Amino acid sequence: MSLASHTRFSLPEQQEAFVGLLGRPLVGSRSAPDLHRDIARYRATLERWCARLGYRILTVGGQYRLVRTPLRGAVAIPAGPPVRRRELVLLLLAAAALEDTTGDSVTIQDLSDAVRRASLTAGTTPYDPDRRSHRLDLVRALTRLTDLGVLDRRTHDEETLDSWESEGRGIGAGFVLDRDALLLIVDPHVLTLALEGPPPADEDVVDSRRARLLRTLVETQSLELADLTPEEVDYLRLQRSRLIADAVEMTGGTIEVRSDALVLVLPAEERWAKAATVPFPAVTTVAWVALRLLESCSAVAHPVTGRPGFRRCPGATVDAHVADIRRSTRLTAHLDSDAVVRSEAERELAEAGLLTVTDGDWVFRPAAGRYRAARLSGGSTPEPDEPSADTVLKAETMGTAETMGTVETGATSGSTDRRPIAPPSPNGADATPALFDVEDPS
């Protein structure tokens, strides 16, 4: 087999490894053996692709760490539920305690004692092991360290863990420490760059434009015109084809070219795509309600001046649509008031990167246009904890694009709708100064 043929056939595996590294930046042979094997096999290619984004891959022992070096004091932050501050603080205190341990075996009770002592001098709210809520927060923090491969749980008696969580008795659970993974959790150089903030205004940052735009497109899967500076917009006009080619080569995804954004759609069949994308809409009642509100509220929202693709819906209008859904739909018990329904829908849409709330108004981001004309077909309204296997949520992709297709999420059965993507009316509310020359796909 020729080198060119080998490269062509191995490209999908390289792309899967790259996407996997984005979703899981600390990879070990025990924590993620398949991904670890692929990174080791294609490390040279992955390092070249990471360099395009201004990233690096560090290796200590058997661990690989993707280092997202800040550019101009900032990083591209993907959509998704944020880590709770308390959980993050306890994670860092536990990591510091692990650094001071002499052996490689440790229990939850050992770490609880060490975290309690450290929290008294760390300038944060003291950790109180006598409070059940604090113990649960610590368990969540240690679960994250386990997911990262820093800890490897060796005891699996759930009753022992439950006893510690509920009453604070026993050891909780036993772990083995991987010191190589612990060493790679925080890069002091990256932390310094992040805390220093943007460079002086006269510093030459022209060379970082490509990396900044490319990492935003790859990490957030949406490069929105309204978020760019005039200089970045000019660069994007000139380098659109090159940026698209790079993003597609690295991820194996497709690019939707809209009048207000570039949208990267990762292949659903990729092994690691799930870790790099937000699972919206899931087959749950809250996701269904959020999808309904997105459709109805965005239909009456008005364009935001100076921010192409953004649409604003007054808070009073949102409240009216929430009340209408509660009157006309049988919802589950926990959605027992208009305030709860709105709060849950806001959280769902915000974590998916589709919505921001400004002065009580809903402001839809350009990516929300991909979920217009959403429909719920088959079965009944799903329960939050027991989604119906017959329920299929489909979101029809709308807006100007170079590709045709749909976004089908949470699907377990049923056929895929294949209507072509409709371009916005040139005289309608969605009309914006064209960033790209895009033809009607029909």
Side-chain angles (χ1 to χ4, degrees):
M1 180 183 294
S2 67
L3 178 60
S5 298
H6 174 74
T7 302
R8 183 173 68 255
F9 285 112
S10 64
L11 182 59
E13 291 185 352
Q14 296 170 353
Q15 293 165 339
E16 288 185 344
F18 180 76
V19 173
L21 192 57
L22 293 178
R24 187 187 183 94
L26 183 55
V27 181
S29 58
R30 288 188 302 185
S31 59
D34 292 341
L35 180 57
H36 182 273
R37 182 193 64 243
D38 288 346
I39 293 174
R41 180 180 300 171
Y42 303 118
R43 181 178 173 183
T45 298
L46 298 179
E47 287 181 334
R48 177 166 52 85
W49 289 352
C50 287
R52 294 176 181 174
L53 305 174
Y55 293 166
R56 296 176 293 129
I57 298 179
L58 292 183
T59 304
V60 174
Q63 301 284 335
Y64 293 105
R65 174 71 155 90
L66 175 64
V67 180
R68 292 174 162 97
T69 306
L71 290 175
R72 304 184 70 182
V75 295
I77 303 176
V83 180
R84 293 173 55 242
R85 182 180 183 276
R86 182 62 175 169
E87 188 177 318
L88 182 58
V89 169
L90 292 178
L91 183 153
L92 294 174
L93 290 176
L98 288 169
E99 184 65 36
D100 292 336
T101 59
T102 56
D104 291 336
S105 297
V106 66
T107 68
I108 290 183
Q109 184 59 51
D110 294 336
L111 290 173
S112 178
D113 293 339
V115 168
R116 180 186 60 80
R117 292 191 297 269
S119 68
L120 296 176
T121 58
T124 185
T125 303
Y127 164 77
D128 184 357
D130 293 330
R131 297 180 58 181
R132 183 172 183 271
S133 61
H134 285 209
R135 295 196 299 273
L136 292 177
D137 285 338
L138 179 61
V139 170
R140 295 188 190 100
L142 297 182
T143 298
R144 287 190 177 274
L145 286 175
T146 302
D147 292 340
L148 290 171
V150 174
L151 295 175
D152 182 20
R153 185 175 172 184
R154 292 302 176 90
T155 62
H156 300 281
D157 185 350
E158 296 301 327
E159 290 186 1
T160 302
L161 178 58
D162 292 342
S163 176
W164 190 88
E165 288 180 347
S166 60
E167 302 174 6
R169 297 179 179 176
I171 64 170
F175 300 91
V176 172
L177 170 64
D178 189 318
R179 294 192 178 276
D180 292 336
L182 178 64
L183 182 63
L184 289 172
I185 284 183
V186 177
D187 185 313
H189 174 66
V190 171
L191 185 61
T192 300
L193 291 177
L195 294 177
E196 286 179 350
D202 58 350
E203 185 172 323
D204 182 15
V205 294
V206 173
D207 293 340
S208 68
R209 289 179 302 184
R210 177 178 176 237
R212 294 200 309 272
L213 296 180
L214 188 58
R215 66 167 58 176
T216 299
L217 178 58
V218 169
E219 293 274 21
T220 70
Q221 289 137 50
S222 181
L223 183 59
E224 297 170 353
L225 174 61
D227 291 336
L228 305 182
T229 65
E231 293 77 13
E232 289 172 333
V233 171
D234 291 339
Y235 183 84
L236 183 56
R237 284 196 179 100
L238 295 174
Q239 299 294 327
R240 183 193 72 168
S241 297
R242 183 182 178 189
L243 289 171
I244 289 176
D246 285 347
V248 170
E249 180 190 23
M250 294 187 295
T251 66
T254 57
I255 301 290
E256 293 178 0
V257 181
R258 302 167 55 92
S259 61
D260 48 34
L262 296 180
V263 178
L264 171 64
V265 181
L266 296 177
E269 65 274 9
E270 273 194 3
R271 287 176 295 169
W272 319 112
K274 183 177 181 180
T277 56
V278 178
F280 177 83
V283 189
T284 65
T285 301
V286 172
W288 175 77
V289 170
L291 209 53
R292 280 275 305 272
L293 287 173
L294 184 154
E295 169 67 16
S296 61
C297 292
S298 63
V300 297
H302 55 82
V304 178
T305 303
R307 293 182 66 78
F310 284 73
R311 302 178 66 84
R312 185 165 185 158
C313 183
T317 303
V318 175
D319 290 337
H321 285 273
V322 169
D324 181 64
I325 286 180
R326 288 198 68 235
R327 282 195 305 268
S328 61
T329 310
R330 180 180 63 84
L331 299 179
T332 50
H334 81 292
L335 299 175
D336 56 0
S337 69
D338 290 3
V340 172
V341 171
R342 173 168 174 165
S343 175
E344 290 291 299
E346 282 181 357
R347 177 188 57 79
E348 191 85 6
L349 295 173
E351 290 180 357
L354 306 176
L355 176 76
T356 57
V357 180
T358 304
D359 297 329
D361 296 348
W362 279 15
V363 180
F364 294 101
R365 302 185 67 85
R370 303 188 69 248
Y371 295 88
R372 294 174 192 163
R375 299 175 300 160
L376 183 69
S377 61
S380 58
T381 302
E383 298 294 330
D385 298 323
E386 296 181 359
S388 168
D390 296 327
T391 300
V392 179
L393 286 171
K394 296 179 182 177
E396 182 75 16
T397 305
M398 302 297 289
T400 303
E402 287 184 338
T403 60
M404 298 173 56
T406 62
V407 178
E408 182 176 357
T409 51
T412 55
S413 63
S415 60
T416 304
D417 191 12
R418 292 297 180 187
R419 290 183 297 162
I421 299 167
S425 169
N427 298 318
D430 277 335
T432 58
L435 171 62
F436 310 118
D437 294 327
V438 182
E439 297 180 356
D440 185 344
S442 60

